[in-house]
């Protein structure tokens, strides 16, 4: 894996050659014309220094994402910042680097190799298999749709240096699942669950050109009728393992041997599986060095249920471990065969939980004391280490969630502890050496190296990782707002850092400690919006009845000085909701679900009130109001951009989930500049003229490029052609240090795996 560090030397040599190793003029480091500025910039580039400086900084870090939730949609609902920290709240329990379903890990501890040395693959989908390409790269297979932002369907080639091979590509097929890969000479054999390949009818097993990905039609396996799970090779033949019952028109259940030249079935290989599925193969040896094919799975067979071995001609050996349930994976190390699966006994009833080493000749147990608490999905021996994945949480008394490694010289658990975001299912994962203390790992999860964070996290802007010491929230967060040295938080939580706080909390900055001030909200409210002006903090939500014992329907305000309840009281009525609050000069605009203001009916969904008292201002007039709920408001250039669940403005006509109200003329813009196909949950405006729209729509203004998210440019009065490649709703955004941050319930953004959070400059 020298490529990981080679960039460092490349940059040093490049600058040395250009500037002939001339010493830096340190007396004038901040002069862009000086050598000191150039060398100082180089040092910051190489070290990743992002400290305050007149020198430029370089962004090498990947922003972590959010994963796993107790229920509902996983994602980021709210976002703000404080100094050099990104503060997020939402519905999540874990944070992890958004690697996608394959990652390069340090073999010593399982930590991800930093993206500055090895760009994350950010695979969209699951990766089940990887094999080396013989030149420092890898072929990967699975049920995925994109790698590093480029469309790839089930098969891809990763070059040395952690980069996608743009030359290798296969036909588009969203239904393709690849479980097995085998490289032989210049041919790549691909097995899995697919019923066609491009414009051919070849199914379940094909052969490709290893350099281009083009199918080789001179090789065809006729009449194979079900999934292929594994492949192995012996000279001029290929062993095929799977769920099929026939191949080449011949009854062959689960295991067959075919010619590697043309795919013809070798009929003399007559190994019998009565019922069930072959899941894994390993071509190893017995104690005399004779080749043995070890076969495991979920099957019944005369030679042994769930696991047996044959010579390459199909003759059964005497190897008989006799597990009582499914075996998912088999590997060999010296004279030991390692088995992993869901079995609980071997050798006719000896208790053996999920992992064991057995004799290579007989299958007799050598060691069954590995102390796993759940099944093993995959095994891989690399030199003197056995890597395993599955659904376990402990190995030999050591906490290890879903992945672990054993030192095979003494079968002790080593320090490899990558912690994926959840359990690994079968088909499981691959482990391959990548050199220099690095292993390449594939899995059916979205991230690895996760840390627990319940609904709230603070991310270091420069490292992209969450900081320690922040409080847990017991339920979801919907709103965040910073004013001075206070962070105001709203949601549906009832407990913050072990202290009772009902839907509204205040954290003291910079240490995110829960404030002693407890604003008492009655019932079971959910605060959905928070903002402030020079003297007050405003909040709104649903099921809001009283605040500190005083009636406040839908919205309320606190005095910033002492955090006491302010007299501002628009009173939206019992059962109302304040979904969005927007302060514009002396007006406070409220969007939500209400049909009255100040106890007066006929003012629905959107209305401005006085900043001091909350008195309605008849802006807009009650003859021109949205016909449904308003979720979000944003202000730019004397206009208010509105998003929600409405399809008309009374007296105006159809507007479809979005509208623009002009404060100067006090009328709605016609024609309406942006229309959604479905609900617009989020609108935000920025000084550069960009207005963001997020929602559950699949197009804006009829253009399907804008699925869930689109950018309207007010200076050109048109939608930006930029396609965010986001697969679900955006709920929040922020601009900081030249980049936009987007948060929501998406797990794909910029056509890459991103767990609910992404940083962009709007041109990727």
């Amino acid at each position: 894996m020298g490529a990981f560090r080679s960039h460092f030397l490349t940059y040093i040599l490049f600058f040395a050659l250009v500037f002939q190793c001339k010493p830096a003029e340190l007396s004038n480091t901040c002069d862009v014309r000086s050598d000191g500025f150039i060398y100082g910039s180089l040092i910051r580039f190489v070290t990743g220094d992002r400290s305050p400086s007149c020198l430029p900084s370089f962004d090498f870090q990947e922003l972590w994402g959010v994963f796993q939730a107790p229920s509902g949609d996983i994602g980021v609902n709210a976002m703000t910042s404080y100094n050099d920290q990104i503060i997020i709240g939402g519905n999540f329990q874990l944070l992890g680097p958004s690697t996608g379903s394959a990652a390069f890990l340090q073999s010593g501890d399982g930590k991800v190799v930093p993206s500055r040395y090895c760009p994350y693959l950010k695979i969209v989908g699951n990766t089940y298999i990887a094999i080396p390409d013989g030149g420092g790269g890898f072929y990967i297979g699975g049920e995925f749709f994109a790698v590093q932002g480029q469309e790839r369907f089930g098969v891809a080639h990763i070059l040395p240096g952690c980069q996608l091979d743009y030359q290798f590509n296969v036909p588009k097929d969203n239904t393709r699942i690849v479980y097995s890969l085998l490289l032989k000479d210049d041919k790549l054999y691909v097995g899995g669950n697919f019923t066609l390949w491009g414009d051919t009818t070849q199914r379940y097993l094909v052969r490709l050109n290893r350099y281009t990905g083009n199918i080789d039609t001179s090789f065809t396996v006729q009449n194979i009728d079900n999934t292929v799970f594994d492949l192995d090779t012996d000279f001029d033949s290929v062993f095929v393992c799977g769920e099929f019952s026939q191949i080449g028109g011949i009854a062959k259940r689960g295991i067959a041997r075919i010619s590697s030249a043309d795919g013809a079935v070798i009929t003399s290989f007559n190994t019998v599986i009565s019922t069930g599925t072959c899941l894994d193969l390993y071509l190893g040896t017995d104690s005399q060095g004779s080749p043995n094919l070890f076969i495991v799975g979920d099957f019944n067979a005369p030679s042994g249920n769930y696991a047996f071995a044959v010579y390459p001609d199909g003759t059964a050996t005497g190897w008989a471990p006799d597990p009582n349930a499914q075996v998912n994976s088999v590997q060999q190390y010296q004279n030991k065969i390692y088995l992993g699966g869901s079995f609980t006994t071997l050798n006719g009833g000896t208790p053996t939980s999920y992992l064991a080493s057995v004799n290579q000749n007989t299958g007799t147990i050598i060691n069954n004391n590995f102390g796993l608490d759940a099944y093993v999905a995959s095994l891989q021996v690399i030199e003197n280490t056995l890597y395993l994945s599955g659904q376990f949480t402990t190995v030999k008394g050591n906490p290890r969630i879903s992945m672990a490694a054993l030192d095979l010289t003494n079968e002790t658990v080593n320090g490899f502890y990558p912690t994926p975001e959840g359990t690994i299912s079968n088909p499981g994962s691959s482990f391959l050496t990548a050199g220099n203390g690095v292993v390449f790992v594939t899995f059916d999860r979205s991230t690895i190296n996760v840390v627990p964070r319940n609904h709230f996290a603070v991310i270091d802007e420069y490292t992209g990782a969450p900081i320690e010491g922040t409080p847990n929230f017991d339920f979801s967060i919907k709103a965040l707002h910073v004013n001075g040295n206070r962070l105001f938080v709203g949601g549906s939580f009832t407990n913050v850092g072990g202290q009772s706080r009902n839907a509204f909390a205040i954290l003291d900055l910079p240490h995110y400690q829960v404030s002693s001030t407890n604003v008492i909200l009655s019932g079971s409210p959910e605060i959905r919006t928070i903002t402030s002006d020079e003297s007050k903090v405003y909040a709104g939500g649903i099921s809001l009845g009283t605040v500190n014992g005083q009636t406040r329907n839908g919205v309320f305000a606190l005095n910033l000085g002492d955090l006491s309840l302010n007299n501002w009281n628009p009173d939206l009525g019992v059962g109302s909701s304040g979904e969005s609050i927007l302060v514009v000069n002396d007006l406070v605009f409220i969007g939500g679900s209400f049909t009255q203001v100040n106890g007066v009916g006929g003012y629905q969904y959107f209305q401005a009130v006085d900043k001091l008292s909350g008195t309605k201002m008849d802006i807009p007039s009650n003859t021109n109001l949205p016909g449904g709920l308003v979720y979000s408001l944003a202000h730019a250039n004397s206009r208010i951009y509105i998003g929600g669940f409405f399809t008309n403005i009374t007296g105006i006509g159809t507007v479809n989930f979005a509208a623009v109200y002009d404060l100067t003329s006090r009328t709605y813009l016609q024609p309406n500049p942006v229309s959604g196909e479905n609900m617009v949950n989020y609108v935000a405006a920025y000084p550069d003229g960009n207005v963001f729209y997020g929602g559950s729509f699949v197009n804006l203004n009829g253009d399907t490029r804008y699925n869930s998210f689109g950018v309207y440019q007010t200076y050109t009065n048109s939608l930006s052609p930029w396609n965010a490649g986001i697969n679900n709703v955006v709920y929040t955004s922020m601009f900081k240090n030249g980049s936009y941050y987007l948060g929501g319930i998406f797990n794909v953004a910029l056509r890459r795996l991103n767990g609910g959070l992404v940083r962009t400059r709007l041109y990727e």
Side-chain angles (χ1 to χ4, degrees):
M1 286 298 293
F4 293 130
R5 310 297 181 194
S6 65
H7 297 300
F8 179 93
L9 294 176
T10 300
Y11 300 133
I12 292 291
L13 291 172
F14 173 77
F15 278 88
L17 288 172
V18 171
F19 300 104
Q20 300 177 352
C21 298
K22 180 182 178 181
E25 297 177 9
L26 299 178
S27 61
N28 196 16
T29 306
C30 288
D31 183 351
V32 297
R33 298 166 297 181
S34 71
D35 287 353
F37 181 88
I38 294 169
Y39 277 89
S41 299
L42 170 61
I43 291 170
R44 280 170 70 83
F45 180 83
V46 170
T47 62
D49 181 11
R50 294 290 298 269
S51 61
S53 173
C54 59
L55 299 171
S57 59
F58 302 91
D59 184 7
F60 291 112
Q61 306 301 336
E62 289 281 358
L63 204 62
W64 283 34
V66 301
F67 303 90
Q68 193 169 299
S71 62
D73 292 322
I74 305 165
V76 175
N77 298 326
M79 182 189 314
T80 187
S81 69
Y82 179 75
N83 294 338
D84 58 355
Q85 295 172 336
I86 310 301
I87 306 168
I88 61 172
N91 188 35
F92 53 84
Q93 293 175 301
L94 299 173
L95 262 72
S98 293
T99 58
S101 57
F104 291 84
L105 308 180
Q106 298 171 35
S107 60
D109 56 12
K111 297 299 183 184
V112 175
V113 175
S115 61
R116 64 179 302 185
Y117 301 119
C118 177
Y120 295 163
L121 298 181
K122 288 188 167 290
I123 297 169
V124 179
N126 295 327
T127 309
Y128 299 123
I129 182 67
I131 62 171
D133 68 359
F138 304 94
Y139 291 95
I140 59 174
E143 189 178 8
F144 52 77
F145 317 104
V147 180
Q148 290 184 335
Q150 302 297 313
E151 283 193 339
R152 289 297 185 274
F153 296 93
V155 189
H157 183 212
I158 308 304
L159 297 169
C162 317
Q163 297 286 351
L164 176 69
D165 181 355
Y166 281 66
Q167 302 304 313
F168 180 92
N169 204 354
V170 298
K172 180 175 181 177
D173 184 349
N174 286 315
T175 67
R176 180 184 298 134
I177 307 175
V178 171
Y179 292 120
S180 55
L181 297 170
L182 173 67
L183 187 64
K184 188 174 176 63
D185 302 323
D186 288 340
K187 308 299 182 181
L188 180 67
Y189 297 81
V190 179
N193 187 0
F194 46 86
T195 55
L196 54 82
W197 195 278
D199 57 2
T200 77
T201 59
Q202 293 196 40
R203 57 181 61 194
Y204 303 117
L205 179 59
V206 297
R207 188 170 73 182
L208 310 179
N209 181 295
R210 65 170 295 183
Y211 302 109
T212 65
N214 293 334
I215 191 168
D216 179 358
T217 55
S218 67
F219 174 91
T220 177
V221 181
Q222 299 293 333
N223 301 318
I224 186 169
D225 64 350
N226 216 323
T227 307
V228 171
F229 283 115
D230 197 19
L231 300 167
D232 213 326
T233 185
D234 177 36
F235 302 109
D236 59 353
S237 64
V238 173
F239 297 102
V240 184
C241 162
E243 196 174 1
F244 50 86
S245 61
Q246 68 165 342
I247 182 169
I250 302 170
K252 295 282 186 182
R253 177 170 291 278
I255 181 73
R257 185 179 183 184
I258 63 174
S259 166
S260 60
D262 58 9
V265 175
I266 299 174
T267 57
S268 61
F269 184 85
N270 286 319
T271 294
V272 176
I273 290 177
S274 306
T275 61
T277 303
C278 175
L279 295 174
D280 194 30
L281 301 174
Y282 186 84
L283 187 58
T285 63
D286 60 20
S287 59
Q288 286 72 45
S290 299
N292 279 196
L293 182 67
F294 298 93
I295 303 166
V296 300
D298 184 18
F299 54 72
N300 293 322
S303 299
N305 297 336
Y306 309 113
F308 67 95
V310 298
Y311 295 108
D313 64 1
T315 303
T317 73
W319 187 76
D322 192 19
N324 69 327
Q326 179 172 314
V327 180
N328 293 323
S329 190
V330 55
Q331 287 283 290
Q332 182 171 10
Y333 177 74
Q334 297 177 357
N335 67 335
K336 298 176 182 178
I337 303 297
Y338 285 88
L339 302 175
S342 57
F343 53 85
T344 56
T345 70
L346 289 177
N347 295 171
T350 303
T352 308
S353 296
Y354 316 116
L355 175 66
S357 61
V358 301
N359 182 274
Q360 71 188 118
N361 287 342
T362 64
T364 303
I365 294 171
I366 297 174
N367 188 357
N368 59 351
N369 187 28
F370 292 99
L372 276 76
D373 59 344
Y375 86 68
V376 171
S378 62
L379 301 171
Q380 182 64 55
V381 172
I382 300 177
E383 296 178 348
N384 293 321
T385 302
L386 175 68
Y387 292 90
L388 57 151
S389 69
Q391 300 197 351
F392 49 83
T393 61
T394 182
V395 182
K396 283 196 164 186
N398 298 276
R400 290 292 186 272
I401 298 173
S402 303
M403 286 188 186
L406 301 173
D407 181 342
L408 291 179
T409 60
N410 53 21
E411 293 186 337
T412 57
V413 180
N414 69 18
F416 183 77
Y417 195 1
T419 320
E421 115 244 22
T423 57
I424 307 297
S425 300
N426 183 63
S429 54
S430 297
F431 300 87
L432 298 173
T433 181
N436 290 346
V438 174
V439 290
F440 180 58
V441 182
T442 68
F443 40 90
D444 60 349
R445 311 303 298 185
S446 298
T447 185
I448 208 155
N449 292 176
V450 297
V451 295
R453 293 291 186 276
N454 283 332
H455 308 295
F456 178 79
V458 179
I459 295 173
D460 185 286
E461 180 184 3
Y462 301 135
T463 67
I467 68 169
E468 298 293 333
T470 54
N472 289 324
F473 288 67
D474 62 343
F475 290 105
S476 181
I477 291 171
K478 290 296 180 73
L480 295 168
H481 181 74
V482 169
N483 185 293
N485 62 351
R486 296 177 179 135
L487 172 64
F488 297 92
V489 187
S492 58
F493 49 83
T494 61
N495 187 286
V496 181
Q499 300 187 48
S500 176
R501 293 292 185 273
N502 189 22
F504 186 83
I506 304 166
L507 303 184
D508 292 330
L509 302 174
H511 301 300
Y512 300 94
Q513 296 174 328
V514 180
S515 170
S516 60
T517 300
N518 186 8
V519 180
I520 307 297
L521 278 59
S522 62
S524 301
E526 180 177 89
I527 297 302
R528 294 181 169 181
T529 181
I530 303 175
T531 191
S532 65
D533 60 19
E534 66 281 357
S535 63
K536 293 188 290 297
V537 58
Y538 303 87
I542 62 172
S543 302
L544 182 63
T546 68
V547 180
N548 291 346
Q550 299 187 44
T551 300
R552 292 292 187 272
N553 290 316
V555 292
F556 68 93
L558 304 177
N559 296 307
L560 280 172
D562 60 4
L563 299 176
S564 62
L565 184 65
N566 188 273
N567 290 329
W568 183 82
N569 185 14
D571 187 8
L572 305 181
V574 176
S576 63
S577 75
E579 304 283 346
S580 183
I581 300 174
L582 176 68
V583 179
V584 181
N585 300 324
D586 293 330
L587 300 175
V588 179
F589 286 88
I590 303 172
S593 176
F594 54 86
T595 57
Q596 68 174 54
V597 181
N598 307 142
V600 179
Y603 291 87
Q604 59 196 40
Y605 305 121
F606 175 51
Q607 181 63 198
V609 301
D610 177 78
K611 185 193 289 190
L612 297 178
S613 64
T615 303
K616 63 182 176 62
M617 303 300 293
D618 286 311
I619 303 173
S621 164
N622 65 353
T623 60
N624 295 133
L625 292 171
L629 187 149
V630 170
Y631 273 118
S632 188
L633 303 171
H635 174 243
N637 301 324
S638 297
R639 292 173 175 174
I640 296 180
Y641 294 83
I642 308 166
F645 194 62
F646 53 85
T647 57
N648 68 87
I649 302 291
T650 56
I652 302 294
T654 300
V655 291
N656 287 339
F657 308 105
V660 180
Y661 184 76
D662 188 278
L663 292 174
T664 303
S665 64
R666 295 193 178 179
T667 59
Y668 286 91
L669 289 190
Q670 291 293 302
N672 186 32
V674 178
S675 292
E677 166 272 337
N678 205 332
M679 187 188 309
V680 174
N681 301 83
Y682 178 71
V683 184
Y686 291 94
D688 58 5
N690 286 327
V691 178
F692 290 178
Y693 287 84
S696 53
F697 50 82
V698 297
N699 69 69
L700 291 176
N701 292 352
D703 193 329
T704 55
R705 285 181 298 177
Y706 310 109
N707 175 51
S708 303
F709 182 77
V711 179
Y712 177 75
Q713 176 49 248
T714 59
Y715 296 145
T716 63
N717 295 316
S718 62
L719 287 166
S720 165
W722 181 69
N723 182 354
I726 290 176
N727 71 333
N728 215 326
V729 181
V730 171
Y731 282 132
T732 184
S733 66
M734 180 179 66
F735 185 81
K736 195 171 193 297
N737 290 336
S739 294
Y740 285 101
Y741 293 78
L742 305 177
I745 59 173
F746 53 83
N747 57 24
V748 178
L750 312 180
R751 293 155 297 279
R752 296 169 170 84
L753 189 286
N754 284 286
L757 187 64
V758 67
R759 180 165 50 200
T760 175
R761 296 181 185 271
L762 304 188
Y763 55 70
E764 296 94 330

